[in-house]
Amino acid sequence: MIFSSLTFLFAYLPLVLAVYFLVPLWARNGVLLLVSLVFYGWGEPVYISIMVLSTLIDYTHGMLVERFRQRDRLARWFVGQSVVFNLALLGFFKYWDFLASNLSLLPGVSLPQLGIPLPIGISFFTFQTMSYTIDVYRRDAPVQRNLVSFGAYVTMFPQLIAGPVVQYKAVAAELACRRNTAEDFALGARRFTVGLAKKVLLANSIGALWDAQLAAGEAGTLTAAGGWLGLLAFGFQIYFDFSGYSDMAIGLGRIFGFRFGENFDHPYLSVSVTEFWRRWHMSLTGWFREYLYIPLGGNRGGTVKTLRNILIVWFCTGFWHGASWNFVLWGMYFAAWLILEKYVLRETLSKTPVLIKHLYTLAVVFAGWGIFAVEDLSMCGEYLSVCFGGGRLWSAADGYTLRCYGLTFLILILASTTLGQRGWQRLPARVEKLLTPVLMGLGLVLSTAYLVDGSYNPFLYFRF
């Protein structure tokens, strides 16, 4: 089940809200746990068992860490067990076939590929439960003794499938006691509607162009202009798809009394690749920084160790996104640019006009989306080669594409900036109060009409 589906919008969510707000406060974590399991098991009920197992293991290990805290060696042993279990679970379901196929290329090695479907959201909930045990050991979070409350945290459906990655310490107090006010409900509903419109009306509207340009690349008819139009289309699609989902997740969390952190901060306004990664998928980059980069030593051990740490983190970041070499290459691509900015380009960028820095950043990022989007490395190389002059520069079809999608691109560009947000904030309070329900209603109606009429409605980050 996805948020941008008629089943979720007009059946599941209204029923869940009715039950949640009718039961007494002490029962709401239990209701949240049960409805989240239903949500997760909607497509593949068998994978509920994996989530339940993960919940039980990390709940138990959190208790063991707390119990044996005075015996530090034993406590660290239980933290290590939790980490190994979570990584083994993720590794088996997400990476077994990839490792088997690559290791079987070695002489004398033959490993079977199992073809097991990837449990949705496993990359997100394993990272969340793993960080819980680590935070309990560090005393950054209190141990959760109530299994139902811990289960509600792990399975919480607003952010279960595609994040944001919510650390336990960020919601521990709200799991124990939270207020559900009319103001929170209204703000959450508004944020959810904004996210729905971004996903359905913006991301879906440009996704078909990327598919068309990719098909042109496979057919050998792609031009440089068409290639860059495709990269722009995918870059905008994945941004509005994922940031829209994050908005919906944050809005739903607010409705249920939780304050999730922001996940995006207008990343396409960045003037360096380094800044871009401070603004894009902030919950994941923050997770890798806190639980991998800093424990490795961060930038405290000199240049060589800093370079090593950056490469390790970005290898893991790329591999986390998928069991394919293009994701590893994508991670190394951005590691290289971050290293260049840190050690080579710093002085040059500091003297470069803002517009040039902005254009440079967008070129690097959107070229990177080509590596990210095309899993076949040979096809990826051919596509990017055409983009950088390895083929025809222009065709009449590109002019037609621009005429068809010109207005859409203009809307996407404006929506990627803070222009609308700043304009909204300048409105008088009375006008804002009048416009809010009108725009929410319009967004919901238009999104519903699109969902009824259209069949193109993917969530790109579900596969991660």
Side-chain angles (χ1 to χ4, degrees), residues 352-363:
T352 303
V354 171
L355 178 60
I356 302 300
K357 289 193 290 187
H358 183 60
L359 292 174
Y360 140 78
T361 302
L362 292 179

Side-chain angles (χ1 to χ4, degrees), residues 4 21 27 35 50 99 125 183 209 216 218 252 259 290 294-295 304 311 366 374 382 397 401 406 451 464:
S4 59
F21 286 106
V35 300
I50 298 170
L99 295 174
F125 70 74
E183 181 184 9
L209 176 56
E218 294 171 349
L252 286 172
R259 305 288 182 96
E290 182 171 351
I294 292 176
V304 173
L311 290 171
F366 279 90
V374 185
E382 291 173 9
T401 299
L451 293 173
F464 308 128

Side-chain angles (χ1 to χ4, degrees), residues 251-285:
L252 286 172
R254 189 70 175 267
I255 288 172
F256 290 105
F258 295 93
R259 305 288 182 96
F260 299 154
E262 295 296 332
N263 211 20
F264 291 87
D265 182 18
H266 304 92
Y268 290 151
L269 294 180
S270 304
V271 294
S272 70
V273 178
T274 304
E275 182 186 358
F276 175 83
W277 283 109
R278 292 194 190 110
R279 291 170 172 260
W280 179 280
H281 203 349
M282 295 185 291
S283 65
L284 181 67
T285 52

Side-chain angles (χ1 to χ4, degrees), residues 340-387:
L340 282 171
E341 288 191 352
K342 187 175 182 67
Y343 292 104
V344 179
L345 301 177
R346 179 185 295 179
E347 292 299 322
T348 302
L349 288 175
S350 67
K351 300 172 184 176
T352 303
V354 171
L355 178 60
I356 302 300
K357 289 193 290 187
H358 183 60
L359 292 174
Y360 140 78
T361 302
L362 292 179
V364 170
V365 169
F366 279 90
W369 287 134
I371 303 172
F372 185 91
V374 185
E375 292 190 14
D376 185 319
L377 289 181
S378 62
M379 181 62 212
C380 177
E382 291 173 9
Y383 189 100
L384 292 175
S385 174
V386 172
C387 289

Side-chain angles (χ1 to χ4, degrees), residues 93-106:
F93 283 99
K94 190 168 184 176
Y95 300 105
W96 173 262
D97 282 359
F98 173 79
L99 295 174
S101 64
N102 282 277
L103 291 176
S104 293
L105 298 175
L106 299 174

